[in-house]
Amino acid sequence: MKRLLIWLMAISAVTFAQAKISLPKFFSDNMVLQQQSECSIWGKADKGTKVVVVTSWDKKSYSTAVDQDGNFSVKVKTPKAGGPYDITFATAPSNPSSRRSSGLGLAVVLRNVLIGEVWICSGQSNMEMQMKGFKGQPVEGSASELMQCNDPQLRLFTVKRKASLVPVDDVTGQWSEATPASVRDFSAAAYYFGKTLRKQLGVPVGLIATSWGGSACEAWMKPEWLKDFKKVTIPSDEADVKKRQQRCPTALFNGQLHPLIGYVMRGVIWYQGEDNIPRYDFYAPLFARMIEGWRSEWKQGDFPFYYCQIAPYDYSLIGWEQYNSAFLREQQMKAEKMVPNCRMAVLMDAGLEYGIHPRKKREAGERLALLALANTYEVKGLPDFAVYSGVEFQGDTAVVAFDRSKEWVYFEHGATSDNFEVAGSDRVFHSAKAWVSRNRVYVKSDAVKHPVAVRYAFKDWVEGDLMHDGLPVSSFRTDEWESTLQAPSQTKGDYNNPQ
């Protein structure tokens, strides 16, 4: 063993370009591996050889044969969080015919590797939106944050956009330490998520962002997962993928997710849904199937999956006058109950009436981190998102109840709210007065003597004001009446792909 280490050290200056070993881009200098795990590392080398891997944190060596297609894979055991460390790869004959042929080949050395917590960050434009913002669409507080974001133990990796008809094996991107330059070009929501974990947990954090503005949920799924959704059309050729790009079913799973599968991580954060508003009616089962599929592929059990509910916005500004995005938010709320170890961060108070890309990315990232800290890392004393649980009708008044609300609900801007409506058996909704008593909201309208349904903030654009312990409550409705709204007309532009 000692002789092996000396030999590896002697050849460690050899560069990637000279080496016979090639690794996917996410196995590189500055990467983060998940702590206290068996982490898979894979790549390519000359067939007929074996690959020897040495990890500096424990001086252990691992060897594996290269198959006939030139592929190898090895699992290394990681310690508790720490670093930086090196990982050295070298080749050797698989079946040496003599002692003279048993020497090691050229080496690849990965440096400045940290052991900590790894999260995948995915979705469409509100996850992709960088700290620098989009053109004319800033991220709130970005200038202040960029002046103080240096953190060598927060590592960032952005997967370059790629839509593909078939699964690919690698991505384009590189690991970077958190600096003003790297954070500026990284997902703002993901950055605030990682920054919050770093501060609370005190360990290295690695974030892999793989997103594309305007992407459909269907684009992040395999064909077999979509067979039960008859409205979804699987692409037939490259021309179809090129035409539909990020909205093409399966195309982003193939191009931006498939290469990452097997990279051991703690969990996933997700911010997507706007593109699926026209198809809201089956979003909950579709989204649930996507999560189940990702978990099946990763083979890490029911890993944590935390996601943002889309924020309010006036969709008439992009030509969707006949649509109400509250139905999509409702589907997102339903998905939380359909999938284990899955929670939703509510953003009813963090929207933007005239912009589909809200500026409040700190709220999005920190609320995702809140869910992770409370549920994955079991940090005690943190607040929770209250959720509608039921309604009773007492004469002319509706009494609405909530779960997960130990501190009681309240209105953000006073003793009442203008965001409630009630309807009678005619299904016509009227504005209502609302007031709070302990953990109940009482709702009443002089225009409805016998209410049978209540809705809260059930509109495209609304400033949510029903709160619990500093966090907003999702929009909701007590009825199950079918929407009469039609699919939106042609949009005025690619709102999720402004650059």
Side-chain angles (χ1 to χ4, degrees):
M1 180 64 188
K2 184 176 180 181
R3 185 176 181 181
L4 172 63
L5 289 171
I6 293 173
W7 180 258
L8 290 175
M9 291 174 64
I11 60 175
S12 64
V14 179
T15 65
F16 275 94
Q18 296 172 313
K20 295 181 179 180
I21 297 172
S22 63
L23 302 170
K25 299 296 190 301
F26 39 83
F27 294 129
S28 65
D29 294 348
N30 305 314
M31 73 175 179
V32 181
L33 292 179
Q34 181 61 41
Q35 66 171 323
Q36 296 179 289
S37 302
E38 284 197 345
C39 291
S40 296
I41 300 177
W42 61 90
K44 291 185 174 294
D46 293 339
K47 62 182 181 180
T49 64
K50 67 178 180 180
V51 173
V52 179
V53 180
V54 177
T55 51
S56 71
W57 55 81
D58 56 8
K59 305 299 189 294
K60 286 186 177 180
S61 66
Y62 306 81
S63 64
T64 185
V66 180
D67 67 21
Q68 291 303 304
D69 295 320
N71 300 312
F72 74 88
S73 179
V74 65
K75 290 185 177 181
V76 301
K77 292 183 178 180
T78 57
K80 291 183 179 180
Y85 300 109
D86 293 342
I87 303 177
T88 304
F89 300 75
T91 58
S94 181
N95 295 296
S97 58
S98 69
R99 292 183 180 180
R100 286 182 297 177
S101 63
S102 63
L104 294 172
L106 299 178
V108 170
V109 182
L110 306 185
R111 303 187 185 280
N112 197 25
V113 175
L114 296 181
I115 309 296
E117 293 296 297
V118 178
W119 287 80
I120 304 293
C121 316
S122 190
Q124 59 181 108
S125 57
N126 277 307
M127 180 62 81
E128 183 183 40
M129 190 176 188
Q130 300 158 318
M131 186 65 78
K132 66 184 178 184
F134 294 136
K135 294 177 181 178
Q137 301 174 72
V139 170
E140 186 175 277
S142 61
S144 174
E145 188 62 41
L146 288 171
M147 288 188 290
Q148 53 185 334
C149 66
N150 276 312
D151 186 351
Q153 294 210 330
L154 177 59
R155 305 291 174 84
L156 315 173
F157 187 102
T158 299
V159 174
K160 187 177 180 180
R161 294 172 171 181
K162 183 177 179 63
S164 176
L165 180 66
V166 297
V168 300
D169 294 328
D170 201 358
V171 299
T172 299
Q174 65 179 19
W175 282 102
S176 302
E177 296 181 356
T179 65
S182 64
V183 171
R184 178 177 172 81
D185 290 327
F186 191 72
S187 161
Y191 164 76
Y192 282 118
F193 171 82
K195 175 188 175 182
T196 306
L197 294 191
R198 278 277 303 120
K199 184 174 181 179
Q200 180 67 34
L201 302 177
V203 301
V205 172
L207 305 174
I208 300 177
T210 179
S211 309
W212 191 335
S215 61
C217 182
E218 300 92 319
W220 298 95
M221 301 174 68
K222 294 180 69 173
E224 52 265 38
W225 305 346
L226 293 166
K227 64 181 181 180
D228 293 330
F229 301 96
K230 305 305 181 184
K231 297 180 181 179
V232 179
T233 303
I234 306 300
S236 57
D237 52 37
E238 289 288 356
D240 196 10
V241 173
K242 186 176 181 179
K243 178 181 179 180
R244 292 194 279 172
Q245 290 285 295
Q246 74 273 30
R247 293 182 172 90
C248 184
T250 76
L252 302 190
F253 175 89
N254 292 332
Q256 292 186 215
L257 193 74
H258 179 267
L260 302 173
I261 292 172
Y263 195 108
V264 177
M265 44 75 174
R266 178 64 69 189
V268 170
I269 58 172
W270 172 264
Y271 193 163
Q272 189 274 341
E274 295 90 345
D275 186 75
N276 284 82
I277 289 172
R279 307 176 300 285
Y280 79 88
D281 56 313
F282 62 96
Y283 186 82
L286 180 77
F287 184 41
R289 185 67 187 91
M290 189 204 81
I291 297 170
E292 292 167 355
W294 285 26
R295 288 173 172 173
S296 175
E297 291 290 306
W298 244 281
K299 296 180 174 59
Q300 285 189 223
D302 291 339
F303 58 72
F305 198 107
Y306 303 122
Y307 62 99
C308 285
Q309 186 183 50
I310 62 171
Y313 163 66
D314 182 1
Y315 281 87
S316 70
L317 297 174
I318 58 167
W320 291 14
E321 294 89 351
Q322 296 182 330
Y323 217 81
N324 183 356
S325 58
F327 286 97
L328 191 282
R329 294 200 300 267
E330 179 183 59
Q331 289 282 307
Q332 292 179 306
M333 190 164 59
K334 289 181 178 180
E336 188 181 54
K337 298 180 180 180
M338 297 171 65
V339 185
N341 204 14
C342 181
R343 289 290 307 275
M344 181 181 74
V346 179
L347 299 176
M348 292 299 297
D349 60 338
L352 187 63
E353 181 177 8
Y354 55 86
I356 199 169
H357 302 118
R359 299 172 178 177
K360 297 181 180 296
K361 291 298 183 284
R362 179 189 296 272
E363 285 81 350
E366 289 183 351
R367 288 173 187 175
L368 289 168
L370 172 68
L371 293 174
L373 291 170
N375 296 280
T376 298
Y377 300 106
E378 299 182 346
V379 176
K380 305 300 181 184
L382 298 176
D384 201 356
F385 294 93
V387 61
Y388 162 75
S389 63
V391 63
E392 292 184 4
F393 297 99
Q394 301 176 359
D396 61 356
T397 303
V399 183
V400 184
F402 303 88
D403 285 338
R404 304 200 302 243
S405 53
K406 293 184 292 185
E407 304 301 325
W408 305 344
V409 295
Y410 61 93
F411 296 130
E412 178 73 359
H413 304 298
T416 188
S417 169
D418 296 327
N419 287 326
F420 284 85
E421 301 171 292
V422 294
S425 57
D426 62 358
R427 301 189 177 187
V428 176
F429 281 91
H430 298 268
S431 297
K433 298 178 182 179
W435 65 96
V436 173
S437 178
R438 300 172 71 87
N439 195 30
R440 298 289 187 270
V441 174
Y442 292 77
V443 188
K444 177 181 177 180
S445 173
D446 293 339
V448 183
K449 300 301 182 183
H450 301 287
V452 299
V454 178
R455 291 185 175 184
Y456 162 70
F458 213 75
K459 301 175 182 178
D460 262 352
W461 164 247
V462 62
E463 293 184 83
D465 59 356
L466 180 59
M467 310 290 287
H468 167 255
D469 208 4
L471 299 172
V473 177
S474 171
S475 54
F476 63 85
R477 59 176 178 151
T478 68
D479 63 275
E480 295 182 353
W481 300 334
E482 289 297 319
S483 169
T484 58
L485 298 173
Q486 299 177 358
S489 58
Q490 182 66 35
T491 63
K492 298 176 182 177
D494 189 358
Y495 62 85
N496 266 313
N497 190 13
Q499 294 185 315

